[in-house]
Amino acid sequence: MASRAKATIFDIAREAGVSKSTVSLVLQGSGLIRPETAVKVRKAIEDVGYVYNRGAANLRKAHSNVIGMVINDLTNPFFAELAVGMERVFQSAGIVPFIANTAENPVRQEEVLKSLMEQGVAGLIVSPARGTTPGAFRRLETAGVPIVFAMRRLPESRIPVIAPDNHRGAYLATAHLIGKGHRRLVFFGGSPDLVVYHERLGGFREACETLGIAARDVLIIEGETSRKGGIACLETALTMAEPPTAALCFNDAVAFGALLALRKRGLEPGADFAVVGFDDVVEAEHYMPALTSVAVDSAGLGERAAHVMLKMIQSRTTRAEDHIGAVNLVVRESCGPDRRTRNRPAGPGVTV
Amino acid sequence: MASRAKATIFDIAREAGVSKSTVSLVLQGSGLIRPETAVKVRKAIEDVGYVYNRGAANLRKAHSNVIGMVINDLTNPFFAELAVGMERVFQSAGIVPFIANTAENPVRQEEVLKSLMEQGVAGLIVSPARGTTPGAFRRLETAGVPIVFAMRRLPESRIPVIAPDNHRGAYLATAHLIGKGHRRLVFFGGSPDLVVYHERLGGFREACETLGIAARDVLIIEGETSRKGGIACLETALTMAEPPTAALCFNDAVAFGALLALRKRGLEPGADFAVVGFDDVVEAEHYMPALTSVAVDSAGLGERAAHVMLKMIQSRTTRAEDHIGAVNLVVRESCGPDRRTRNRPAGPGVTV
DNA sequence: GCCTATAAATGGAACGTTCCAATAAATCAA
DNA sequence: TTGATTTATTGGAACGTTCCATTTATAGGC
């Protein structure tokens, strides 16, 4: 069915009795060729089992049609959702994005970026790895490759960013907690090497200040941005002299960890200690108790990022507006019932 | 710093005062060039901001260095783990795998495969989308591209498969349930269009038969392989005349759904109804109650798949042995305590 | 000092496309 | 018929690399 060596447009040309140029035209769907000829050529293509060589084509063509998606943690469902959103719009544009994972490792990110460049990508959507140095994208920028950052930004970069309104989200969540009567609050997880951390923490602080929480009652406990980190944060919070009664968590993973640690100690999340998450991953709704969280619409942000990228490519520019996505707090059960009419026995006591 | 048009080896050659061939040799790390010359060339490369054009190179070279990873559901943490395992070994081989998502859609899969082929991939690791037609990979096979299936297989294909021992895993889990005293069992979730379904269901059935469960006491409820599916399965199970007391779930997502539905009804997972999952995703350990599940070591399977692929590429063959990975049951809390000495108040009552 | 062996560097052809300019064929105006 | 116009098709050069066969420089043997 297929000869040993891979077929080229010359083979097709011979098979169909036309010239290579004609075949090329057919391949590109040009309207210049006579319909009957096109049919003949297409049949030949089928017969010889031809596969288009995009590398060769890119040698002549201005731009390739691959877009790279560089993601810092594939394992986080949050980013998977982002990816799904992007793919939705790229698919309808007839392009297949290639995803590469950096596993939160700047060195790996360097390799990935290099590889993608060598492949001749038309554009890059990147959620930069933690600890990315400011110069990491210089190479790409001078090469004129359109880049957009998704979800995360770099300290002093001019690359357009698509991200949720972290400050506002944190403010909203904190205000909710305060509205529930909490007066001693803590921020769980994350660390200052992440711009997002400052944004969320900033919202938390602003809410505390403007809503009248005394500075000595607002606590901050850094930690890993994972379940494990959340568990650790809660442990240290509860061993304090005057423990807080509510936590805003850096993200849902941290929140899940906190919930878990609470349960382990025999405390009732929501009733004995309020926790709110950030990101509102699908799981949040299904947790026990269901997690109150700041929804950021990651799939929507993914779509937006893809659109911006498409626009940049087509207008061959490397600049674009930032886009800060709306957020909203979805209230579930992890901050306790609205009414203060609970009457349950005290938890079995703190055991550590 | 960088001129407008992108630099080629000719530009480097001029800059360094050598020939293009010399530059090419340096690029390939050939030992033929004098060290001082190499240094000079490398400096020039840096100066002009050169980026290697792999497309052009592949025009001459036998094989490219891209490997594609085609995954049916990026959203499932299970597959993310698989991807992570693969990346680990590819990274140490100096190659960057490109991941593409098919979202369980055969049409999308077709596009993805086509795009990857055109890109000239050296090999493909694929977890085929549900409903993939038997001929979907013919094109690739005749083109001689090495392929390995991971986690899933196609009904009558000769492509090598790396997958867990689903049959044995299901057997183990079922035996555990029976050992706990359960006599009326159900299999939750999945549908017959998946080979994996038959394998797992087969193990379940065999265990029931050989361990003396009457045929009329083994139930099967098909459903989506998601939390939602699990919820639905449990609902229909409990409305039966003689409800089962234990379920083996198609995967952990289904199991989480079942656990959730149980809680919603005020039943205590483990005590009132036993559930065991399959895959042992990281989350299983952290669930409430912690989920007993069949561990398949997906990262390990990913590594194995990557190794097999590397071997195939280097020995330029398209055949390889299947590899069935060991599984083991990790017992946690979702099947109840070992001792039957529990004494807790009945749950707060069924509210739905 | 000459010949040979080795080491280092080079020019040219090839890879599979696209695109432009040019040709061939068909149609039309006179 | 002839020339002009439109419609289809075509050959050739170019894209940025690799690889082979040469050439040039360096060293070694006698």
Side-chain angles (χ1 to χ4, degrees):
Chain A
M1 184 167 295
S3 56
R4 214 54 266 142
K6 40 196 50 164
T8 76
I9 49 171
F10 284 93
D11 299 307
I12 299 172
R14 186 164 3 85
E15 184 83 5
V18 297
S19 80
K20 61 161 184 32
S21 301
T22 303
V23 176
S24 176
L25 258 4
V26 172
L27 249 16
Q28 296 171 80
S30 162
L32 287 183
I33 33 78
R34 204 153 40 107
E36 303 97 277
T37 312
V39 168
K40 207 168 48 180
V41 170
R42 265 189 271 272
K43 171 152 180 0
I45 289 177
E46 207 57 42
D47 287 350
V48 305
Y50 168 77
V51 3
Y52 184 74
N53 185 333
R54 209 169 278 281
N58 286 342
L59 224 39
R60 290 285 326 207
K61 286 229 282 258
H63 256 321
S64 80
N65 78 148
V66 295
I67 291 187
M69 217 153 114
V70 179
I71 278 188
N72 61 296
D73 181 10
L74 216 48
T75 283
N76 190 331
F78 177 57
F79 287 107
E81 286 171 41
L82 182 75
V84 166
M86 291 184 191
E87 287 189 319
R88 200 152 39 215
V89 0
F90 283 140
Q91 173 164 25
S92 60
I95 95 152
V96 177
F98 291 142
I99 305 171
N101 185 24
T102 63
E104 211 71 276
N105 174 351
V107 176
R108 178 65 173 162
Q109 178 172 266
E110 192 97 6
E111 296 171 3
V112 161
L113 253 20
K114 176 147 169 277
S115 177
L116 251 5
M117 281 230 70
E118 294 182 349
Q119 226 57 236
V121 290
L124 244 25
I125 296 181
V126 184
S127 172
R130 182 186 301 231
T132 299
T133 62
F137 293 88
R138 189 115 32 182
R139 199 63 157 263
L140 292 273
E141 287 181 275
T142 69
V145 178
I147 309 175
V148 355
F149 284 149
M151 312 312 302
R152 293 179 173 183
R153 69 179 73 226
L154 245 39
E156 77 289 310
S157 159
R158 328 196 64 235
I159 293 175
V161 179
I162 313 295
D165 192 341
N166 289 309
H167 188 96
R168 181 166 161 71
Y171 187 99
L172 251 34
T174 310
H176 176 72
L177 253 15
I178 295 172
K180 285 272 191 186
H182 294 281
R183 287 294 168 269
R184 194 161 165 79
L185 310 180
V186 60
F187 188 92
F188 273 174
S191 55
D193 58 346
L194 230 35
V195 177
V196 174
Y197 178 77
H198 293 111
E199 295 174 346
R200 295 186 178 174
L201 187 58
F204 172 73
R205 279 195 160 121
E206 186 185 324
C208 288
E209 276 172 32
T210 70
L211 298 178
I213 301 297
R216 58 167 191 80
D217 283 332
V218 358
L219 276 21
I220 291 159
I221 301 180
E222 290 181 18
E224 281 183 38
T225 60
S226 61
R227 269 191 182 71
K228 192 146 75 98
I231 295 174
C233 283
L234 191 108
E235 299 295 344
T236 81
L238 292 195
T239 58
M240 298 180 73
E242 258 184 287
T245 63
L248 170 58
C249 299
F250 176 78
N251 67 14
D252 285 349
V254 171
F256 293 143
L259 254 26
L260 207 71
L262 244 15
R263 270 273 167 73
K264 281 258 167 65
R265 281 173 167 262
L267 296 171
E268 180 72 10
D272 300 325
F273 190 101
V275 1
V276 13
F278 214 112
D279 290 348
D280 192 32
V281 302
V282 280
E283 215 181 322
E285 181 183 356
H286 293 315
Y287 226 75
M288 212 63 167
L291 181 68
T292 293
S293 186
V294 178
V296 300
D297 183 23
S298 29
L301 288 172
E303 288 185 28
R304 176 124 233 121
H307 274 126
V308 170
M309 173 53 51
L310 254 20
K311 205 80 72 183
M312 287 170 85
I313 290 175
Q314 123 187 8
S315 59
R316 32 184 53 80
T317 175
T318 178
R319 302 286 318 131
E321 298 279 300
D322 286 0
H323 179 271
I324 303 304
V327 296
N328 70 298
L329 183 71
V330 357
V331 177
R332 298 203 183 85
E333 305 159 4
S334 65
C335 297
D338 250 324
R339 38 186 170 52
R340 291 222 105 65
T341 59
R342 295 173 302 93
N343 58 337
R344 38 187 324 290
V350 180
T351 48
V352 169
Chain B
M1 183 167 296
S3 56
R4 214 54 267 142
K6 41 196 49 164
T8 76
I9 49 172
F10 284 93
D11 299 307
I12 300 172
R14 186 165 2 87
E15 185 83 5
V18 298
S19 80
K20 63 164 184 27
S21 302
T22 303
V23 177
S24 176
L25 257 5
V26 172
L27 249 15
Q28 295 170 79
S30 161
L32 287 181
I33 32 77
R34 202 150 43 104
E36 304 96 276
T37 312
V39 168
K40 206 168 50 178
V41 170
R42 266 190 270 273
K43 169 151 181 1
I45 288 178
E46 208 56 44
D47 286 350
V48 305
Y50 169 76
V51 5
Y52 184 73
N53 184 333
R54 210 167 277 281
N58 286 341
L59 225 38
R60 290 281 328 202
K61 286 228 284 254
H63 256 322
S64 79
N65 77 146
V66 294
I67 290 188
M69 217 152 113
V70 179
I71 278 189
N72 61 295
D73 182 10
L74 215 50
T75 284
N76 190 331
F78 176 57
F79 287 107
E81 285 171 42
L82 182 75
V84 166
M86 292 185 191
E87 287 187 320
R88 199 150 43 213
V89 0
F90 284 139
Q91 174 164 24
S92 60
I95 94 153
V96 176
F98 291 141
I99 304 172
N101 184 24
T102 63
E104 212 70 277
N105 174 352
V107 176
R108 178 64 171 162
Q109 180 172 265
E110 192 96 7
E111 296 170 4
V112 162
L113 254 19
K114 176 150 171 277
S115 177
L116 251 5
M117 281 230 73
E118 294 181 351
Q119 225 58 236
V121 290
L124 243 24
I125 296 182
V126 184
S127 171
R130 182 186 301 231
T132 298
T133 62
F137 293 88
R138 189 116 31 178
R139 200 62 156 266
L140 293 272
E141 287 181 274
T142 71
V145 178
I147 310 175
V148 354
F149 284 149
M151 313 311 302
R152 293 179 173 182
R153 68 180 73 226
L154 245 37
E156 77 289 314
S157 158
R158 328 196 65 234
I159 293 173
V161 179
I162 312 296
D165 192 342
N166 289 310
H167 188 96
R168 182 166 161 71
Y171 187 101
L172 251 36
T174 310
H176 176 72
L177 254 13
I178 295 171
K180 285 273 191 186
H182 294 281
R183 286 295 169 267
R184 195 163 164 80
L185 310 179
V186 59
F187 188 92
F188 273 174
S191 54
D193 58 344
L194 230 37
V195 177
V196 174
Y197 179 75
H198 293 110
E199 295 174 348
R200 294 186 178 176
L201 187 56
F204 172 71
R205 280 196 159 122
E206 186 184 325
C208 289
E209 275 172 33
T210 70
L211 299 178
I213 301 298
R216 56 169 194 78
D217 282 332
V218 357
L219 277 22
I220 292 159
I221 300 180
E222 291 181 17
E224 280 182 37
T225 60
S226 61
R227 269 193 182 71
K228 192 146 73 94
I231 295 174
C233 284
L234 191 108
E235 299 294 345
T236 81
L238 291 195
T239 59
M240 296 179 75
E242 257 182 288
T245 64
L248 170 59
C249 299
F250 176 78
N251 66 13
D252 284 349
V254 171
F256 292 144
L259 255 26
L260 209 70
L262 244 16
R263 270 274 166 71
K264 282 257 168 64
R265 281 176 166 260
L267 296 171
E268 179 72 11
D272 300 325
F273 190 101
V275 0
V276 13
F278 213 113
D279 290 348
D280 192 33
V281 302
V282 279
E283 214 183 323
E285 181 183 354
H286 293 316
Y287 227 75
M288 211 63 166
L291 181 68
T292 293
S293 186
V294 178
V296 300
D297 184 23
S298 29
L301 288 172
E303 287 184 27
R304 175 122 234 122
H307 274 127
V308 170
M309 170 59 43
L310 254 20
K311 205 79 71 181
M312 288 171 83
I313 290 174
Q314 125 188 8
S315 59
R316 31 185 54 79
T317 175
T318 178
R319 302 289 317 133
E321 298 279 301
D322 286 0
H323 179 272
I324 304 304
V327 297
N328 69 299
L329 183 71
V330 358
V331 177
R332 298 204 183 86
E333 304 158 7
S334 65
C335 297
D338 251 323
R339 36 179 174 53
R340 295 221 104 67
T341 59
R342 294 171 305 93
N343 59 337
R344 40 188 320 292
V350 180
T351 49
V352 169

